[in-house]
Amino acid sequence: MASTACFVIVSKNDIPIYEAEVGSAPKKEDLAHQHQFILHAALDVVQDLAWTTNAMFLRSVDRFSDLVVSVYVTAVHTRFMLLHDSRSDDGIKSFFQEVHELYIKIFLNPLYLPGSRITSSHFDTKVRALARKYL
Amino acid sequence: MEDYPEELRTPPVSLVSIVGCPELHPSISAALSSQQPPMNTLALPDFSKASILARSGKARDPLAPPQAPAGILKKDWLLKHRTRVPAAVAALFRADQVSGDPAQWLQACSDLENLKSAIQGKNTKLVVVLVQAQASDELSEDVTVALRKRAEIDSRHMIVLVEQDETEWSRSLSKLKNVFAELCSAFYKEEGRRIKARIEKRNFSSVELSIRYCFKVAVYAEFRRDWPEALKFYEEGVRVLREMIGTSTRLPPTQRLVEIKAVAEQFHFKISTLLLHAGKVVEAILWFRKHIRSYERVVGTPEVAFLHWEWFSRQFLVFGELIETSAATVPDTLSPRFGTADNALTEWEFQPAYYYQLAATYLREKRYAIECSSSVANLTTEASGIPESVMPSVYVGQYVRLFEQGDTVSVLPLSDTEYTSYALSEAERFQDSYEIIALFRKAYESFQSLGATRMASACSRGMAIEYYAAGDFSNAKQLFDGVAGLYRQEGWTTLLWENLGYLRECSRKLNFLKDFISYSLEMAALPLFSGSGEENRENKIKSGPGGSPTISRRENIQQEVINVLKRKQAPDGTNDEFDNAMEETTHLDIDQISPLRMVLTASVAFHDQSVKPGSPLLISVSLLSHLPSPVVVDQLEVQFNQSDCNFVIHSAQEDSPPLDSNLHDQVVEATSLTLFTNKWMRLTREIKSGQSGKLECLSVKATINKHLVICCHAESPASMEDFPLWKFEDHVETLPTKDNVLAFSGQKLIQVEEPDAQVDLVLNSAGSALVGEIFIVPVTILSKGHAVHSGELKINLVDAKGGGLLMSPREAEESESHDVELLGVSTVDGKELKEEVDSIRKIQYSFGVVSVPTLSEGDSWSCKLEIKWHRAKSVMLYVSLGYSLGSTEEEALHRLNVHRSLQIEGQIPLLVTHQLLRPFRREPLLLSEIRSLGGDDKKCSLAMNESNMFIVNARNCTEVPLRLHSMTIEPDDDGKQLCSVQQVSGISNGHAVIAPSEEYKGIFSVNPRASSSNFHLGDICLNWSRDSSLGEDQETHVIMKQRLPEEIKYSLVDSQNFVFSGAHNHAAFILPKSEHTVSHKLVPLGSGSQQLPRITVTSVRYSAALTPSTSAATVFIYPSEPKFNLETSCSTSDECVS
């Protein structure tokens, strides 16, 4: 499991709707900030890159020192952004795909307003479990 | 990059030396440096200077055991090879120096010897150049051979330069250049091979030497422009160097690390330069990545971490500058899909800005490290002090201390402690902040131009933090403000939180109370729910002054604002803050786009859509706050565009008198005005509507803690927008009003209607109007409770069937005539409003405006509208009275209007018909050709020189009796000549009264005097009036005409009163302008007025039939002697072709 991993889901209007520190390293508040800054800045690249390819999974679109940003863009342009230091592309890809399925389930919930914050604790638990499994 | 020495930054250039003949040196060195590849020249004016070419270092004792090297690279080695160690030396002799005088020859020989001894022991090649004035000055063979032998050189290296001749000179010079190039290449190759042999044989005692040899071989390869080999050996050197970190023990660990990094930096710089010059951008970036990865963890001890970060930052800066200067672009062959398997690089890695930004980040890291180190150093090594006279040693990355003892100066190595304190004191002298800001700014501008706003704002934020750290709060605030805008827009609340934390501190430091309060309130109202994190000192530095984003922190911040407002001491202990700003109350304006909308939002809804003036109406004021703690509002002031309606609600707990005692305001007491988080506070009040017009709620002012006035723009619930940051949060949404309908459709404005007009406008009509007369409509204005000031009467005539205009647009173009026309307005006393010509602004055909004099209460005024109908038409008459209640300007703005309308029918008064009666036959039963015809508008034939009866019927079609004054026929010129008209019966007593639907008959006798096929009799003039009113003229035209047809068929029908002979059906052809007579003999069977057999005439061509009217086919049979033959003749010319 990666020591550092920050996972953020950004809605299509650029608002973060889910945030999770999924790394195994002890959580530090200041780092959480730092990670969000990196992820936010990486949105610029994703914005350009997402239209050049059909693939949903964009690996390492940006790097900040030893941290790499990988992105998964869904069809409605919701972006799953993962800041990580691990190198296993396959694991990250599987992680994204599984999270995508979870996200679709959230989306199917008639009480969920698309684009709003994901507060489901079930989702959170599942995402963290997936992170332990793949990252 | 500018810090690097020149020799490192530029590619090495071969060095040659020329000695003697100083006057030729400029031209020779210019020629050599212009060569491709260029050569630098070390020009020595005479042979006495040749000693500097000799090896400067002391001769090493070959028998002494090899000493361990004191360092990896000597600092001046590269410089030495570029400026002092030539690859070849050329000795220049003039021809006369060697050919003539033996003393001179001896001198030349000894010079040559000296030179040879100077370069002895090196591989430096020797060239002898003889300078001749002219090519013809042939030197004797033995002189040159002798010289060559003395110099011990190959004949190829003996060159003759011809000075005078231009072509010879350049030819010989190029020969010299070739020789030099060849010798240089040989020299550097040889040197390289020599060193390389040592590496291959592993003939060295320490790893330092290995690295040094690698460097040397690479540099020699560079001299030869053998880039791949240079690259190979640089990379080898780097590899060995990296391995050395853990193994070497020569120096104390800190200094060792510093030295290794300094050397690595040089190696890396060389490699990057080589790769970028070769256009291998991708390789260069990958190499850089590798370089960074291998050194980023080599921080060393915490005390010297700042050295590492400084070095690390410099790597990024230099690489960024290299990329920028090499103008390397992303190669086209590279896949545009960054971050994929075939292209592991990201897009930004090709941008220098990316490296600048990282350099700035790491430089900031260095600043933090220095802060830590200084605080530690101040505590522990206070006594030891900073060692004096420390200077860089001859080796790259090493420092030594000069130690003076008497006259001897010796160099002593430093201990790590000494070195650390020295480095710290050096580092503290620099202001890194400006460097960091400059780097961030560079990156910011670059990213901005690339359109990457988020990256740019990340850089902008970096700048701002640096300004903040440097104490330049106004700059910091400005930058933070810009960045906060982006985060607000995109809803990254955690980032916004941190930004606002800085902004809050900036305003605190700048003593901007208003900003401090607004930033604090915004922070407190941010939707943040992350778990509680305890604060510590480290967090405070890294996560900014805002602290960690938790609910408790939000509550703290809100409390801080309250405390500041209460002039209490702030929890941070800065008790003197905002002392001068506290004098007055602070006003915050919150409009619909303000980020402070989360703090307080006011929604105002009227319960009705319109209301009568002066009547009570209900208004709901709802306030919502997202602040975490309850907010106690002292006073709530609701303001309208009509200030009379403003009202103030006081909290009951408020015991002090109201601050703002506006006399107009209605003051209301409420029990408690406390806003709970995310819960609407709803207040419903009854207010009195003001003047007529729009009544709009403008703002709601909430006074909090007496000194903070928050002025919220009122919002209609119907058009209220979501809260940008709270929109997608998971929380209960409530409606601003309890009434659901009002919550979705309520408006903050209401229409106050006009007061009811208390003036009567009466339109009297006398039934329907008659065409031709001037129809009078009296209008009466009766004031019943309002005085009429500057009244105005507008009159409009509109077609009752719709269409508005009284004539079609096409008609309007064709003629000026109108069907109905407004002629004028007269006052009741009959005189036209001539003296008030100014006040009658306009009377047009269908529209008029008349001013009404000022009327006091109870007065009345009336006027008459004169309207004339030209055609029977139904018309709507609209009359509207606009007036104001007073003559003052303010009152004049409020105009009241009264509208009345009336439909008036226009009728034709008289229907005029006429009839011609031809004279009966004088002789009994003998009819003339002429008979009476129907009164239709048909052509008739009249008997010439006979008196024909012409009867005019005028029938009253109206419901009122009409008075006929005269009925005449006015013959035109044609008629006057051709016939005479006399009135047989006239109108007695001047007029005749015709009751409704009665008929008046006028009888005229017409006596044609000449035969004419077509003449116009004249016009009938009727002069009539209503039985009680004025009369009018009326004209009727009767036109008689004749036409000429051709082929006919006719048939006769039997009649019971006659027997007749002849064909029942027959056809005939009639030529134009001719007559055809059909003759039948009739025998009447009875006397009296009898019907003749009917004849029907049909025109074949037109299939048109004509049957004479009954009256025309009636004859009177005298009851005298029987047995008479009657003859009917029908004039075929009677036929009318339709």
Coordinates of all heavy atoms in Angstrom, one line a residue, chain B residues 1024-1056:
Chain B
W1024 N -81.4 69.3 -45.7 CA -82.2 68.8 -44.6 C -81.6 69.1 -43.3 O -80.4 69.5 -43.2 CB -82.4 67.3 -44.7 CG -81.1 66.5 -44.6 CD1 -80.3 66.2 -45.6 CD2 -80.5 66.0 -43.5 NE1 -79.2 65.6 -45.2 CE2 -79.3 65.4 -43.8 CE3 -80.9 66.0 -42.1 CZ2 -78.5 64.8 -42.9 CZ3 -80.1 65.4 -41.2 CH2 -78.8 64.8 -41.6
S1025 N -82.3 68.9 -42.3 CA -81.8 69.1 -40.9 C -82.6 68.1 -40.0 O -83.6 67.6 -40.4 CB -81.9 70.5 -40.4 OG -83.2 70.8 -40.3
R1026 N -82.0 67.9 -38.8 CA -82.9 67.2 -37.8 C -84.0 68.1 -37.5 O -83.9 69.4 -37.6 CB -82.1 67.0 -36.5 CG -81.1 65.9 -36.7 CD -80.4 65.6 -35.4 NE -79.3 64.6 -35.6 CZ -79.3 63.5 -34.9 NH1 -80.2 63.2 -34.1 NH2 -78.3 62.7 -35.2
D1027 N -85.1 67.6 -37.1 CA -86.3 68.3 -36.9 C -86.1 69.5 -35.9 O -86.8 70.4 -35.9 CB -87.4 67.4 -36.4 CG -88.7 68.1 -36.6 OD1 -88.7 69.1 -37.4 OD2 -89.7 67.7 -36.1
S1028 N -85.1 69.4 -35.1 CA -84.9 70.4 -34.1 C -83.5 71.1 -34.2 O -83.1 71.8 -33.3 CB -85.1 69.9 -32.7 OG -84.2 68.7 -32.5
S1029 N -82.8 70.7 -35.2 CA -81.4 71.2 -35.2 C -81.0 71.8 -36.6 O -81.9 71.8 -37.5 CB -80.4 70.1 -34.8 OG -80.5 69.0 -35.7
L1030 N -79.8 72.1 -36.7 CA -79.4 72.8 -37.9 C -79.4 71.8 -39.1 O -79.2 70.6 -38.9 CB -78.0 73.3 -37.7 CG -77.9 74.5 -36.7 CD1 -76.5 74.7 -36.3 CD2 -78.6 75.7 -37.2
G1031 N -79.5 72.3 -40.3 CA -79.6 71.5 -41.5 C -78.3 71.3 -42.2 O -77.3 71.9 -41.9
E1032 N -78.3 70.5 -43.2 CA -77.1 70.2 -44.0 C -77.5 69.9 -45.4 O -78.6 69.5 -45.7 CB -76.4 69.0 -43.4 CG -75.2 69.3 -42.6 CD -74.2 70.2 -43.3 OE1 -73.6 69.8 -44.3 OE2 -74.0 71.4 -42.9
D1033 N -76.6 70.0 -46.3 CA -76.8 69.7 -47.7 C -76.6 68.3 -48.0 O -75.8 67.6 -47.3 CB -75.9 70.6 -48.6 CG -76.4 72.0 -48.7 OD1 -77.6 72.1 -48.7 OD2 -75.6 72.9 -48.8
Q1034 N -77.4 67.8 -48.9 CA -77.2 66.4 -49.3 C -77.3 66.4 -50.8 O -78.2 67.0 -51.4 CB -78.3 65.6 -48.6 CG -78.5 64.3 -49.2 CD -77.5 63.3 -48.8 OE1 -76.8 63.5 -47.8 NE2 -77.3 62.2 -49.6
E1035 N -76.5 65.7 -51.4 CA -76.5 65.6 -52.9 C -76.7 64.2 -53.3 O -76.1 63.3 -52.8 CB -75.2 66.2 -53.5 CG -75.1 67.7 -53.3 CD -74.0 68.3 -54.1 OE1 -73.2 67.5 -54.6 OE2 -73.9 69.5 -54.2
T1036 N -77.5 64.0 -54.4 CA -77.6 62.7 -54.9 C -77.4 62.8 -56.4 O -77.8 63.8 -57.1 CB -79.0 62.2 -54.7 OG1 -79.3 62.3 -53.3 CG2 -79.1 60.7 -55.2
H1037 N -76.7 61.9 -57.0 CA -76.4 62.0 -58.4 C -77.1 60.9 -59.1 O -77.2 59.8 -58.7 CB -74.8 61.7 -58.6 CG -74.0 62.8 -57.9 ND1 -73.6 63.9 -58.5 CD2 -73.6 62.8 -56.6 CE1 -72.9 64.6 -57.7 NE2 -72.9 64.0 -56.5
V1038 N -77.7 61.3 -60.2 CA -78.3 60.3 -61.1 C -77.6 60.4 -62.4 O -77.5 61.5 -63.0 CB -79.8 60.7 -61.2 CG1 -80.5 59.7 -62.1 CG2 -80.5 60.7 -59.9
I1039 N -77.2 59.3 -62.8 CA -76.4 59.3 -64.1 C -77.1 58.3 -65.0 O -77.4 57.2 -64.7 CB -75.0 58.8 -63.8 CG1 -74.3 59.8 -62.9 CG2 -74.2 58.8 -65.1 CD1 -73.2 59.2 -62.1
M1040 N -77.3 58.8 -66.2 CA -77.9 57.9 -67.2 C -77.0 57.8 -68.4 O -76.5 58.7 -68.9 CB -79.2 58.6 -67.7 CG -80.3 58.5 -66.7 SD -81.7 59.4 -67.2 CE -82.1 60.4 -65.8
K1041 N -76.8 56.6 -68.8 CA -75.9 56.3 -69.8 C -76.5 55.3 -70.8 O -77.5 54.6 -70.5 CB -74.6 55.7 -69.2 CG -73.7 56.9 -68.6 CD -72.5 56.3 -68.0 CE -71.7 57.5 -67.4 NZ -70.6 57.0 -66.6
Q1042 N -75.9 55.1 -71.9 CA -76.4 54.2 -72.9 C -75.2 53.3 -73.5 O -74.1 53.8 -73.6 CB -77.0 54.9 -74.1 CG -78.1 54.2 -74.7 CD -79.0 55.1 -75.5 OE1 -78.7 56.3 -75.6 NE2 -80.0 54.6 -76.0
R1043 N -75.5 52.1 -73.7 CA -74.5 51.2 -74.3 C -75.1 50.5 -75.5 O -76.3 50.5 -75.7 CB -74.1 50.1 -73.2 CG -73.4 50.7 -72.1 CD -71.9 50.8 -72.3 NE -71.3 51.3 -71.2 CZ -70.9 50.6 -70.2 NH1 -71.1 49.3 -70.2 NH2 -70.3 51.1 -69.2
L1044 N -74.3 49.8 -76.3 CA -74.7 49.3 -77.6 C -74.3 47.8 -77.7 O -73.1 47.5 -77.8 CB -74.1 50.0 -78.7 CG -74.5 51.5 -78.7 CD1 -73.6 52.3 -79.7 CD2 -75.9 51.7 -79.0
P1045 N -75.3 46.9 -77.7 CA -75.0 45.4 -77.9 C -75.2 44.9 -79.3 O -75.3 45.7 -80.2 CB -76.0 44.8 -76.9 CG -77.2 45.7 -77.1 CD -76.7 47.1 -77.5
E1046 N -75.3 43.6 -79.5 CA -75.4 43.1 -80.8 C -76.5 42.0 -81.0 O -77.7 42.3 -81.2 CB -74.1 42.6 -81.3 CG -73.2 42.2 -80.2 CD -71.7 42.4 -80.5 OE1 -71.2 41.7 -81.4 OE2 -71.1 43.3 -79.9
E1047 N -76.1 40.7 -80.9 CA -77.0 39.6 -81.2 C -78.0 39.3 -80.1 O -77.6 39.1 -79.0 CB -76.2 38.4 -81.6 CG -77.1 37.3 -82.1 CD -76.4 35.9 -82.2 OE1 -75.1 35.9 -82.0 OE2 -77.1 34.9 -82.4
I1048 N -79.3 39.1 -80.4 CA -80.2 38.8 -79.4 C -81.1 37.6 -79.8 O -81.3 37.3 -81.0 CB -81.1 40.0 -79.0 CG1 -81.9 40.5 -80.3 CG2 -80.3 41.1 -78.4 CD1 -83.2 41.0 -79.9
K1049 N -81.8 37.1 -78.8 CA -82.9 36.1 -79.0 C -84.0 36.6 -78.2 O -83.8 37.2 -77.1 CB -82.5 34.7 -78.5 CG -81.8 33.9 -79.5 CD -81.7 32.5 -78.9 CE -81.0 31.6 -79.9 NZ -80.6 30.3 -79.3
Y1050 N -85.2 36.4 -78.6 CA -86.3 36.9 -77.8 C -87.4 35.9 -77.8 O -87.5 35.1 -78.7 CB -86.7 38.3 -78.2 CG -87.2 38.4 -79.6 CD1 -88.6 38.1 -79.8 CD2 -86.4 38.8 -80.6 CE1 -89.1 38.2 -81.1 CE2 -86.9 38.8 -81.9 CZ -88.2 38.6 -82.2 OH -88.7 38.7 -83.4
S1051 N -88.2 35.9 -76.7 CA -89.3 35.0 -76.7 C -90.5 35.8 -76.1 O -90.3 36.7 -75.2 CB -89.0 33.8 -75.9 OG -88.7 34.2 -74.6
L1052 N -91.7 35.4 -76.5 CA -92.9 36.0 -76.0 C -93.7 35.0 -75.2 O -93.7 33.8 -75.6 CB -93.7 36.6 -77.1 CG -94.0 38.1 -77.1 CD1 -92.7 38.9 -77.2 CD2 -95.0 38.5 -78.2
V1053 N -94.2 35.4 -74.1 CA -95.1 34.5 -73.3 C -96.5 34.9 -73.5 O -96.8 36.1 -73.5 CB -94.6 34.5 -71.8 CG1 -95.4 33.5 -71.0 CG2 -93.1 34.3 -71.7
D1054 N -97.3 33.9 -73.6 CA -98.8 34.3 -73.7 C -99.3 35.0 -72.5 O -98.9 34.8 -71.4 CB -99.6 33.0 -73.9 CG -99.4 32.4 -75.3 OD1 -99.0 33.2 -76.2 OD2 -99.4 31.2 -75.4
S1055 N -100.2 35.9 -72.8 CA -100.9 36.6 -71.7 C -102.4 36.3 -71.8 O -102.9 36.2 -73.0 CB -100.6 38.1 -71.8 OG -101.4 38.8 -71.0
Q1056 N -103.0 36.3 -70.7 CA -104.4 35.9 -70.7 C -105.3 37.0 -71.2 O -106.4 36.9 -71.6 CB -104.9 35.4 -69.4 CG -104.7 36.3 -68.3 CD -105.1 35.8 -66.9 OE1 -105.6 34.7 -66.9 NE2 -105.1 36.6 -65.9

